[in-house]
DNA sequence: GAAGATTGAGAGTTCAATCTTC
DNA sequence: GAAGATTGAACTCTCAATCTTC
């Protein structure tokens, strides 16, 4: 953790200041945005700490996991970017690192010479599994909220993602 | 936005895969973490886009806003880091950039030679106000969730932050 | 010795520009 | 010309190490 616990909730304090400045109407939105920023920081540091023994970052773990859950174990780079919602340059970076570690290899696409496939290696498969087990135990198994709150938040954030145009299918 | 909308919810898809892999118990926690990661990315890009005309990032805006809401307009760098929950190195970086832009200036602490104060300038005050108005209009005023959902999520995330040891005062 | 601040290294992200292939 | 991938530049964040001052 970066610093010691504060004697007060910094976000509640920001809301008070925002209201005092005459921006009461937008205070709830401000609180939501800042809460997301802070919680992101917290969970990212947890995840990275849990993954550190495997020399994986969360970004690379996501790529590895996505490949490991694919029937053939391979996927075009651009589809990885779409699915994970990251820039093509980030995918290139992640794949290169995973390739250096021997967890993934680049393969030519059989019919389209423009696209490159990433294929997970046996070592990659094994590490993906081990890392997932570890992450489940360290982080996912207890995120610091009761089950009801978890599902409520997940649903609300799904709504937010949908409204942001992340995806178009709005069943459930 | 980085990519076009997907025809399905990528997180719901991950949950299905996670269950299929036999990790059903931890699937909700996984969904929460991934949701936070993705929503963070969305709101950060919105905020940065809104702040771009001012040549401010959200980190620097937060510093500027914190100073502008202070009675004296100045604060020790370490207190800025505590309040914003960021590393001292990040504060140094932010303050240097704000100083380069003439929005803040470094001042020696009157009694403690170790600490440096950041003081907001008149230009900084003016820009902080303009940026806040803009952010309220562009982002905070409509975050893409109804009011009930916003307060529910904010409260749940407060709980998560509290459980993470971010702060110790648990009233409200 | 401890606290506050800074610096340099390393990782990730995005964007713009470039190259190859359809 | 458009799509896919890569590269380089610019930014932020964190960590470890260093310097100054209490």
């Amino acid at each position: 953790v970066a610093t010691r616990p504060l004697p007060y909730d910094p976000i509640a304090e920001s809301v008070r200041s925002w209201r005092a400045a005459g921006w009461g109407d937008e205070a709830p939105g401000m609180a939501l945005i800042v809460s997301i920023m802070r919680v992101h920081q917290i969970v990212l540091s947890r995840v990275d700490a849990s993954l550190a023994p495997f020399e994986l970052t969360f970004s690379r773990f996501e790529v590895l996991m996505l490949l490991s859950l694919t029937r053939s174990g391979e996927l075009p780079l651009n589809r990885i970017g779409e699915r994970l919602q990251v820039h093509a340059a980030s995918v290139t970076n992640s794949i290169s690192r995973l390739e250096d570690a021997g967890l993934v290899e680049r393969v030519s696409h059989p019919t389209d010479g423009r696209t490159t496939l990433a294929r997970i290696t046996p070592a990659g498969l094994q590490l993906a599994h081990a890392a997932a087990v570890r992450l489940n135990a360290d982080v996912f198994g207890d995120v610091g909220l009761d089950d009801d709150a978890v599902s409520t938040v997940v649903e609300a954030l799904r709504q937010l993602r949908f409204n942001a145009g992340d995806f178009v299918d709005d069943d459930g």
Side-chain angles (χ1 to χ4, degrees), chain A residues 44-112:
Chain A
L44 183 59
S45 78
R46 280 189 203 164
V47 165
D48 280 344
S50 176
L51 253 24
F54 303 98
E55 305 210 357
L56 283 177
T57 62
F58 187 61
S59 322
R60 284 181 294 190
F61 169 76
E62 276 193 297
V63 173
L64 211 53
M65 214 55 215
L66 180 58
L67 290 173
S68 84
L69 294 172
T70 300
R71 193 172 307 276
S72 60
E74 57 186 32
L75 233 40
L77 297 203
N78 65 328
R79 296 216 39 213
I80 295 176
E82 286 174 7
R83 173 61 188 274
L84 266 29
Q85 301 282 140
V86 294
H87 202 275
S90 294
V91 177
T92 295
N93 187 349
S94 296
I95 295 296
S96 296
R97 309 245 172 209
L98 290 171
E99 199 171 27
D100 291 345
L103 306 172
V104 151
E105 52 192 11
R106 270 182 241 251
V107 181
S108 301
H109 186 101
T111 66
D112 190 336

Side-chain angles (χ1 to χ4, degrees), chain A residues 19-41:
Chain A
R19 291 193 195 285
W23 294 314
D25 289 352
E26 289 86 1
M30 185 275 289
L32 178 65
I33 303 297
V34 177
S35 296
I36 289 167
M37 301 281 190
R38 179 58 189 144
V39 168
H40 169 259
Q41 187 182 6

Side-chain angles (χ1 to χ4, degrees), chain A residues 1-6:
Chain A
V1 179
T3 57
R4 254 171 264 82
L6 290 170

